[in-house]
Amino acid sequence: MELTDPTARHLYETIRDLPIVSPHGHCDPKWFATDEPFSDPAELLVVPDHYVFRMLYSQGVPLEDLGVPPAGDDTDRRDVFRTFAHNWHLFLGTPSRLWIEYVLTQTLGVETPLGPETADKVYDEIAEKLADSAFRPRALFGRFKIEALATTDNALDDLSHHQTIAKSDWEGRVIPTFRPDALIDPQHVDFKDSIENLALLTHRDTTNYSGYLAALRMRRALFKQNGATATDHAIDIVQTAILADPEAAFQRVLNAPSEAQARAFHGHMLIVMAEMSVEDGLVMQLHAGSRRNTNTHLFKIFGADKGSDIPTATSWVDGLAGLLNHVGNEPGFRLILFTLDESTYARELAPMAGHWPCLRIGPPWWFHDSPAGIARYFDQVIETAGYWNLAGFNDDTRAFLSIPARHDLWRRAVAEHLSGQIRRGYFDRRNAEEIAILLAVDLAREAYRL
């Protein structure tokens, strides 16, 4: 993303080299616990990245050919990279192209342009870099100037990798995030097994509602002891309301509930999670409006997160009424909202964040984490919510090497937006420089209490 306006270039230069705060993402803490070299170029750039393989799948490339586990476990990684390189043109015009080009040229220093004829040469260049200690996870973490990186962890995770990091002499800050979807959403495929495992881990009776809540509090406390500052929750349809008899509702969801009963219980538990956030201070994140695993054939073979999640319409005002009217006025409560329904930015989210002191609007997420998506976001939320009711930026990535690329794109888009605000006479350069730093790092620190 080239900046042609002199003011935009100036603003970008003021924030380009600031530290990176990465408060929400999906990197594997094992990388930093073991500090082992990344295995190969395909495993680094293709296999874990659903942004990449969903595009290739849309053009008829089987996920098996891309090494996606479990069906693609035995696929030769060089062949995976060749397939990716042969289809590199498919990414023209997408943010994935921008991110990966940045990774190849800026992060890895690959001099050969990627394409069908250069696949093996680029593969070998990357492999040579990965064998160098300067490209191990901890070294890259320092080189990227990452101040803090939050992973997203199953609420039943033993957090052993985080504990290994904390006990080491390495100074990098990698913290967990409490993700309890499988424990509070009865429609989750692992719900019943997760409830049973929760009992085993906490030695609490999770066949009754009070024991279930006590066990959840124990897990939250463990995450907080290991550095967590936030929880994370995913929901397709936002619906929150307190149930009159939660014990009876809990017993129903343990025994083949209807869809309506399951949704009602999930909505109730989101309020309970908010209550617990009031108690323990963990920031609550809510990612809404994605219909998960819509390709049932792929889901049966490969499991979740395989590129078939699709945005849906979201009703925030009605859906969050139960939660906000229950705890939304509580001092210290913090709720960060992420949407894939851009039509709600100006109509609902900006007015809500401009009123409720607990709310912050998360950055453009997933399908909208792009130059155009960021521009639309600023255009729709700033007039009503202002800048201080935003949550800054997070990269939301499984691809560790793309973190600087994503933050760089955000910072360029911030500079472009602020230069436009100056041209329109909304404020001067001094104000813009202050806001640029807020958007680059400070708002994320504040929103996530880092």
Side-chain angles (χ1 to χ4, degrees), residues 413-434:
V414 164
E416 186 75 25
H417 162 73
L418 293 175
S419 69
Q421 298 288 74
I422 294 172
R423 287 195 304 274
R424 286 185 283 271
Y426 291 152
F427 42 72
D428 60 21
R429 180 180 287 197
R430 182 183 60 81
N431 295 135
E433 290 172 352
E434 177 186 1

Side-chain angles (χ1 to χ4, degrees), residues 121-134:
K121 183 172 175 54
V122 173
Y123 185 97
D124 290 337
E125 286 188 43
I126 297 173
E128 183 179 355
K129 299 285 187 180
L130 298 183
D132 188 327
S133 61

Side-chain angles (χ1 to χ4, degrees), residues 25 37 127-128 172 237 240 262 323 344-345 358:
E128 183 179 355
I237 299 173
T240 60
L323 187 153
T344 64
Y345 277 138
C358 65

Side-chain angles (χ1 to χ4, degrees), residues 183-385:
L183 288 170
I184 68 172
D185 179 5
Q187 295 187 90
H188 195 286
V189 65
D190 295 324
F191 178 69
K192 288 188 177 180
D193 288 343
S194 295
I195 298 295
E196 293 175 3
N197 289 329
L198 178 64
L200 294 174
L201 283 173
T202 61
H203 305 290
R204 292 292 184 272
D205 181 2
T206 60
T207 63
N208 65 76
Y209 183 67
S210 61
Y212 166 67
L213 293 190
L216 285 170
R217 282 191 170 90
M218 290 179 66
R219 295 303 300 173
R220 290 175 65 106
L222 178 67
F223 271 70
K224 189 171 181 180
Q225 290 165 13
N226 281 273
T229 68
T231 71
D232 186 33
H233 309 266
I235 188 168
D236 58 347
I237 299 173
V238 181
Q239 171 185 326
T240 60
I242 289 288
L243 294 173
D245 189 348
E247 177 64 59
F250 183 58
Q251 296 306 318
R252 283 194 295 270
V253 298
L254 291 178
N255 297 280
S258 67
E259 180 178 341
Q261 290 170 336
R263 288 193 181 279
F265 184 80
H266 191 190
H268 170 84
M269 286 306 301
L270 288 174
I271 298 178
V272 172
M273 291 291 99
E275 290 177 328
M276 291 186 186
S277 282
V278 172
E279 296 169 5
D280 61 26
L282 292 179
V283 174
M284 185 174 182
Q285 299 174 89
L286 187 58
H287 289 78
S290 179
R291 186 69 51 79
R292 307 277 175 165
N293 309 308
T294 61
N295 189 327
T296 55
H297 172 72
L298 287 189
F299 180 66
K300 289 177 182 178
I301 298 173
F302 296 94
D305 302 319
K306 296 302 177 288
S308 65
D309 301 347
I310 306 298
T312 59
T314 303
S315 176
W316 287 104
V317 175
D318 292 338
L320 278 186
L323 187 153
L324 291 175
N325 282 297
H326 190 70
V327 296
N329 295 300
E330 291 289 336
F333 177 51
R334 173 65 47 75
L335 175 59
I336 302 175
L337 304 179
F338 294 83
T339 190
L340 291 175
D341 182 359
E342 291 184 301
S343 70
T344 64
Y345 277 138
R347 186 181 67 245
E348 298 185 58
L349 287 184
M352 291 169 72
H355 167 72
W356 292 98
C358 65
L359 292 184
R360 297 292 184 271
I361 307 176
W365 168 47
W366 202 338
F367 294 93
H368 309 307
D369 183 6
S370 65
I374 296 168
R376 292 193 300 269
Y377 168 81
F378 285 137
D379 186 56
Q380 294 183 74
V381 304
I382 295 304
E383 288 185 341
T384 304

